[in-house]
Amino acid sequence: MSSQNNKPLTTIASLNKLKNESKKFSCLTAYESTMTSKICDAGVDIVLVGDSLGMVIQGNDSTLPVTMDQLIYHLECKGNNNSHIMADMPFMSYATDDLGFENATRLMQSGAHSVKIEGGEWICKMANTLAERGIPVCAHIGLTPQAINRIGGYFVQGRDTDKHDLMIAEAKALESAGAAMLLLECVPDALAESITSQLNIPVIGIGAGAKTDGQIMVVHDLLGISCLEKPPKFVKDFMSEAGSIKEAIQLYNISVKSGIFPAEEHTFF
Ligand code: KIV
């Protein structure tokens, strides 16, 4: 599939460079080739083949039913030319270090440039093993949807002092272990800012305010076709301001990179 975008391939090195130059980067989920090519052509830096597909594609009420084979089916869809492809490790696909190693290898052999793993300190050993073997890991902390049954709901994380301090410690431990990126979900603005400024690796936010290095959103949310009756506060329907899907994605990309999105109304304090 041809690209309308001459941007070179986004790599871990180029994302690090953007962080060092205090330039924002954009990320979106995608699960099939046509949407991936539109996202790529708009200049979005990272495409996440997320386990959110369990909700937005399969219609489940959580991400838990998604399997490795299903994730790989979506990951193998074409359409990418120059974005960084990140693949989610589904629920229980990394329950042990051996399983995590085997499944991360499968994702990389199916077209991923990095893998995303939900979890705090307990995934440090795995992040280290994978990093040493050439697999970049994005560690996902804050609200981790695969742990929804333990957490009890889609709430903001890190508001009380213990959780706040724990999250900073986890972020630092993950960086020291070799994580290449960190993703913060549903975290108060000041905590996300503090973590972003203390880490050298790029930090991506969703519902984590405007101070993280990058932003991510589920593409269906951006297009105003959220599977939820009431989309979360951090979601913006860019389609309502655009004349086409292409324009909505371009608007998201520009809004993230210029710091217009997320605005205060999308932020937890
Ligand atoms: O699976 C997914 O789409 C995600 C994003 C919400 C960050 O993990």
Side-chain angles (χ1 to χ4, degrees), residues 14-34:
S14 63
L15 293 166
N16 281 330
K17 187 164 179 281
L18 289 174
K19 172 158 183 138
N20 291 336
E21 292 169 354
S22 301
K23 289 186 182 152
K24 304 276 181 200
F25 60 87
S26 59
C27 324
L28 277 177
T29 66
Y31 319 96
E32 42 86 12
S33 58
T34 307

Side-chain angles (χ1 to χ4, degrees), residues 157-190:
Q157 302 292 305
R159 276 209 167 119
D160 56 281
T161 314
D162 287 355
K163 284 253 184 69
H164 172 282
D165 295 350
L166 178 66
M167 217 184 289
I168 294 178
E170 281 177 340
K172 287 182 178 169
L174 286 159
E175 177 175 64
S176 303
M181 285 177 264
L182 186 77
L183 189 145
L184 297 175
E185 178 163 353
C186 287
V187 172
D189 182 65

Side-chain angles (χ1 to χ4, degrees), residues 72-85:
I72 286 175
Y73 171 83
H74 291 277
L75 176 60
E76 283 178 343
C77 292
K78 310 290 182 252
N80 183 47
N81 277 301
N82 50 15
S83 297
H84 175 99
I85 302 290

Side-chain angles (χ1 to χ4, degrees), residues 28-31 48-53 63 88 116 118 140 145-146 183-185 204-206 216-219 221 234:
L28 277 177
T29 66
Y31 319 96
L48 170 67
V49 183
D51 62 358
S52 50
L53 73 87
T63 59
D88 245 335
K116 179 164 79 61
E118 294 184 13
H140 179 160
Q146 291 173 15
L183 189 145
L184 297 175
E185 178 163 353
I204 304 166
I206 177 164
I216 189 161
M217 200 150 105
V218 171
V219 69
D221 290 344
F234 55 80

Side-chain angles (χ1 to χ4, degrees), residues 135-234:
I135 301 181
V137 171
C138 176
H140 179 160
I141 63 172
L143 177 64
T144 48
Q146 291 173 15
I148 198 64
N149 291 298
R150 176 175 52 76
I151 298 171
Y154 294 90
F155 311 127
V156 181
Q157 302 292 305
R159 276 209 167 119
D160 56 281
T161 314
D162 287 355
K163 284 253 184 69
H164 172 282
D165 295 350
L166 178 66
M167 217 184 289
I168 294 178
E170 281 177 340
K172 287 182 178 169
L174 286 159
E175 177 175 64
S176 303
M181 285 177 264
L182 186 77
L183 189 145
L184 297 175
E185 178 163 353
C186 287
V187 172
D189 182 65
L191 175 55
E193 180 177 20
S194 163
I195 292 174
T196 305
S197 67
Q198 291 184 62
L199 297 197
N200 292 313
I201 58 173
V203 178
I204 304 166
I206 177 164
K211 319 285 184 357
T212 55
D213 304 304
Q215 294 292 330
I216 189 161
M217 200 150 105
V218 171
V219 69
H220 291 65
D221 290 344
L222 172 154
L223 298 175
I225 48 171
S226 170
C227 58
L228 304 171
E229 220 163 89
K230 185 174 176 290
K233 178 184 167 93
F234 55 80

